[in-house]
Amino acid sequence: MESLDQISRRIQDAVPGVRVEIVPNDTPAAQPSLVISSEHALAVAKFLKDDPQLQFDYASNVTGVDWLDSVIKTKGKVKKIVDGEEKEVEETVETKRPGYLEAVYHFYSMRLKHGPVVIRQRTGNRSDQNHLTSLTPIWRGCEFQEREVYDLYGVVFDGHPDLRRILMWEGFKHYPMRKDYVPPDDFEYEPTPHDDVLARAKTHSAK
Amino acid sequence: MEVAAAPGVDEGLRSELSKQGIFTVKLQDIYNWGRKNSIWPLQFGLACCAIEMIAASMARYDLARFGAEVFRPSPRQADLMIVAGTVTKKMAPQVVRLYNQMPEPKYVIAMGACAISGGPFKQGYNVLKGIDRYIPVDVHIPGCPPRPEALMHAFMTLQRKIGEQTFAGPGRPRHLDPEAPSEFPVPGLGEDDIVPAKNEQVWEAPVMVRG
């Protein structure tokens, strides 16, 4: 398989206007991924599936990730006036990053026996800009998994043929896999509570 | 066959009669004997426990020896509900509804850790923490999943329980008690959780005493 750099460049050539960014992965898995802009996702998907060198014909997995608002600390050199003279001082700069939801796709090629390539789409924020492009029109196997991401993370997939909840019931209000989800307080009987369950059992019995 | 009118037949007379080929027995006992040896379970499984239940009903473990090989696919023809597996909150109303559709006399075996308490999913948001919160359970079997032997033990326990039921008095089965309920309220699916969280008539939380 081509390197991710090559794939990324060829995506940019094939789909004009697309924003592609390589996300490095410094864990032992060392599997970098591509973030693509959601409005071009369908064209990118077509390219990945139809390109003769890639032919990613199998969507192995679709999943969601919830990224909360966070502060990223980076060390950088800043010019500052210290005691009347200008000096370069090393400082940690804090940048606020608003939270977003992410859909992660893993594609393989059965015909060329290579893969996976990991594609991510990100929403604007975690509340009202939660729309992404469905890739079900390209890979039929994404249908249930995108429904699952919708059910558990609240990502709305535009172009999905049948976007309903799949695990929880219709009428359920929350998205349980989001990090700020608070599960219902039904700890009236807990024989062996420990750790955070003990804390929850205690707050329940205090009520 | 002679049927004893009074509960106590003289032991000597009974022994003498049996030597002549006449057996005396209480109607209650023969009635229960018939009931307990022909339990027809409802054929449904919810998770991996169902695989053990299937194994118990097949040739190797042969549940037919207990008269319970006729798994019925309709609740109208079943006497026993084996809740075999994880009851999710989404599934709980259907399980209670199936129980309500079964005719009396009916019995419930809660099979496995999930069905009796929520099991490994007890601290989760989507699994019911025991089916005994909504319907009366006769036999609980722990295990994850319980082996077929454990299910057979549950059957024998249930058979003993049926055998001890009387026609009248506090030990009588529910179908002989006009006051006893046969149907139980089906819970609804709310915005946050299943509502109500439990049926107060059937289940109340055990009081935990901590030293």
Side-chain angles (χ1 to χ4, degrees):
Chain A
M1 195 175 83
E2 297 169 31
S3 74
L4 210 62
D5 285 321
Q6 267 176 303
I7 294 176
S8 154
R9 270 198 300 278
R10 296 220 292 126
I11 288 174
Q12 276 160 334
D13 291 343
V15 184
V18 70
R19 292 190 305 285
V20 185
E21 185 193 328
I22 296 181
V23 181
N25 185 346
D26 48 8
T27 63
Q31 189 174 55
S33 50
L34 291 176
V35 179
I36 53 167
S37 44
S38 180
E39 58 270 28
H40 302 97
L42 213 58
V44 172
K46 274 204 187 89
F47 169 75
L48 290 175
K49 194 177 183 189
D50 297 338
D51 185 80
Q53 269 97 60
L54 298 175
Q55 293 192 53
F56 288 110
D57 48 15
Y58 174 54
S60 157
N61 185 37
V62 184
T63 189
V65 188
D66 179 19
W67 296 96
L68 293 172
D69 298 343
S70 67
V71 178
I72 299 166
K73 286 180 183 169
T74 42
K75 278 194 176 171
K77 287 190 173 170
V78 186
K79 281 189 179 173
K80 260 195 174 175
I81 298 164
V82 184
D83 302 332
E85 52 184 305
E86 203 174 47
K87 271 187 183 175
E88 271 201 351
V89 185
E90 202 164 90
E91 247 187 15
T92 48
V93 185
E94 293 188 349
T95 42
K96 274 189 187 166
R97 192 206 59 194
Y100 53 85
L101 302 164
E102 201 173 62
V104 185
Y105 297 75
H106 287 225
F107 298 124
Y108 287 80
S109 174
M110 287 288 135
R111 188 163 299 142
L112 302 180
K113 296 188 169 50
H114 66 211
V117 63
V118 184
I119 301 291
R120 296 161 185 255
Q121 296 185 56
R122 287 176 180 168
T123 62
N125 59 29
R126 298 175 69 253
S127 48
D128 54 334
Q129 297 170 29
N130 57 350
H131 286 248
L132 292 179
T133 309
S134 168
L135 300 187
T136 308
I138 311 292
W139 288 280
R140 199 56 214 281
C142 293
E143 182 179 344
F144 273 20
Q145 303 196 48
E146 284 181 345
R147 272 179 69 183
E148 191 175 335
V149 173
Y150 164 69
D151 188 357
L152 302 181
Y153 291 91
V155 175
V156 179
F157 287 93
D158 296 327
H160 192 284
D162 182 27
L163 197 65
R164 287 177 292 136
R165 282 188 182 269
I166 188 167
L167 294 169
M168 304 307 285
W169 53 88
E170 291 296 329
F172 186 71
K173 245 178 35 180
H174 309 274
Y175 302 110
M177 286 290 275
R178 287 205 186 178
K179 287 181 176 169
D180 49 6
Y181 170 66
V182 182
D185 178 30
D186 46 8
F187 277 73
E188 71 264 38
Y189 167 54
E190 197 59 51
T192 54
H194 53 83
D195 302 341
D196 56 330
V197 178
L198 179 62
R200 279 168 67 186
K202 272 183 180 162
T203 50
H204 175 88
S205 53
K207 274 177 202 168
Chain B
M1 190 184 294
E2 284 284 307
V3 174
V9 178
D10 178 63
E11 202 53 48
L13 175 64
R14 182 188 294 215
S15 147
E16 202 60 42
L17 283 170
S18 73
K19 280 176 196 157
Q20 302 301 319
I22 299 165
F23 295 96
T24 53
V25 68
K26 280 188 274 183
L27 181 60
Q28 178 182 298
D29 289 345
I30 206 158
Y31 176 75
N32 285 344
W33 176 80
R35 289 201 305 131
K36 78 179 185 185
N37 287 301
S38 174
I39 302 170
W40 290 8
L42 181 59
Q43 183 179 21
F44 83 111
L46 295 171
C48 31
C49 283
I51 305 299
E52 300 296 303
M53 181 179 75
I54 294 160
S57 71
M58 298 310 292
R60 187 180 173 97
Y61 294 97
D62 198 10
L63 208 57
R65 292 175 292 158
F66 301 89
E69 77 279 20
V70 193
F71 277 80
R72 305 310 296 188
S74 159
R76 300 288 185 207
Q77 302 169 347
D79 311 308
L80 169 67
M81 173 182 254
I82 304 173
V83 185
T86 315
V87 188
T88 58
K89 284 176 182 170
K90 196 177 177 182
M91 194 65 186
Q94 278 77 278
V95 174
V96 178
R97 201 178 293 275
L98 280 174
Y99 178 77
N100 285 346
Q101 287 171 352
M102 285 164 62
E104 291 280 5
K106 55 188 172 184
Y107 300 91
V108 178
I109 291 177
M111 179 181 183
C114 295
I116 66 178
S117 73
F121 313 109
K122 190 172 170 59
Q123 269 106 43
Y125 58 89
N126 58 343
V127 171
L128 186 67
K129 290 152 186 63
I131 191 64
D132 51 2
R133 282 164 190 246
Y134 295 110
I135 55 178
V137 174
D138 296 280
V139 185
H140 297 77
I141 0 171
C144 187
R147 286 191 53 83
E149 290 93 326
L151 184 59
M152 286 194 291
H153 184 250
F155 257 98
M156 288 154 71
T157 310
L158 182 66
Q159 285 183 331
R160 198 160 58 241
K161 186 171 178 172
I162 295 172
E164 284 166 4
Q165 287 183 325
T166 52
F167 276 164
R172 64 189 157 168
R174 264 205 322 271
H175 67 286
L176 296 178
D177 183 357
E179 302 286 298
S182 174
E183 291 194 4
F184 292 84
V186 178
L189 297 170
E191 289 185 341
D192 311 300
D193 199 2
I194 187 166
V195 277
K198 56 178 180 282
N199 180 355
E200 307 276 353
Q201 267 85 54
V202 177
W203 190 84
E204 66 182 82
V207 180
M208 302 301 295
V209 181
R210 295 194 200 284

